[in-house]
Amino acid sequence: MGTQFRRLSCALGVVVVVGALCPAVSFAGDPDCSQEGPFTPFETIDGDNPVTMQNGRVIELRASNKSKCAWGRISYGTPGEEIWTDRKDPSANSHEGFLGYTRIDSGTAKYTEPFKNDGKVMRACGSSQGVIECTGWF
């Protein structure tokens, strides 16, 4: 509950005051990243990918072996629902969060910008109706 509350309050803080509550937020993807040759990595360290939320939203981490980048996708959603990626060193306990944070503005799906995962592990997280779920780390 505590982690989910901190994430939700941080996500809400992004909308109100970008950077004040969540200094690690990055909306722009990493240079030299592309979404070329995308695949969904199914063999994650500690969870599923993709994750289907109770309300049917799908949170998915996508990756490209060509650019060594990864990004998040939320699908079957509604406007206002959120998606972002987290990145960390495999041996670290802490992580960079809210990379590419974005919301569905129209339609039912949204992608984050791609971020380098070369030598790091990443996951995608999404928020729908006040519930946050994340994929496993890949």
Side-chain angles (χ1 to χ4, degrees):
M1 167 86 176
T3 301
Q4 285 185 346
F5 177 74
R6 283 193 303 271
R7 283 187 171 232
L8 182 57
S9 64
C10 191
L12 293 173
V14 170
V15 175
V16 179
V17 182
V18 175
L21 297 175
C22 309
V25 171
S26 176
F27 296 102
D30 286 335
D32 301 323
C33 272
S34 76
Q35 295 175 335
E36 188 175 348
F39 71 97
T40 299
F42 293 106
E43 295 181 22
T44 58
I45 296 170
D46 61 348
D48 295 327
N49 186 39
V51 172
T52 302
M53 301 177 81
Q54 282 187 327
N55 62 7
R57 303 325 181 242
V58 176
I59 307 301
E60 182 178 9
L61 181 71
R62 303 282 288 161
S64 167
N65 280 332
K66 184 168 182 144
S67 68
K68 302 275 190 253
C69 296
W71 58 95
R73 174 172 71 179
I74 185 171
S75 51
Y76 305 105
T78 58
E81 294 177 327
E82 305 161 311
I83 185 73
W84 64 90
T85 56
D86 294 336
R87 174 174 58 190
K88 73 174 188 164
D89 185 288
S91 62
N93 290 326
S94 62
H95 64 272
E96 298 173 76
F98 294 97
L99 301 176
Y101 171 87
T102 190
R103 292 175 168 220
I104 296 174
D105 46 11
S106 64
T108 61
K110 188 76 175 201
Y111 293 83
T112 69
E113 292 292 323
F115 291 85
K116 285 284 184 193
N117 66 336
D118 192 22
K120 308 267 181 159
V121 292
M122 294 186 70
R123 68 180 179 185
C125 297
S127 173
S128 172
Q129 300 173 354
V131 176
I132 295 172
E133 293 209 29
C134 297
T135 67
W137 291 98
F138 170 79

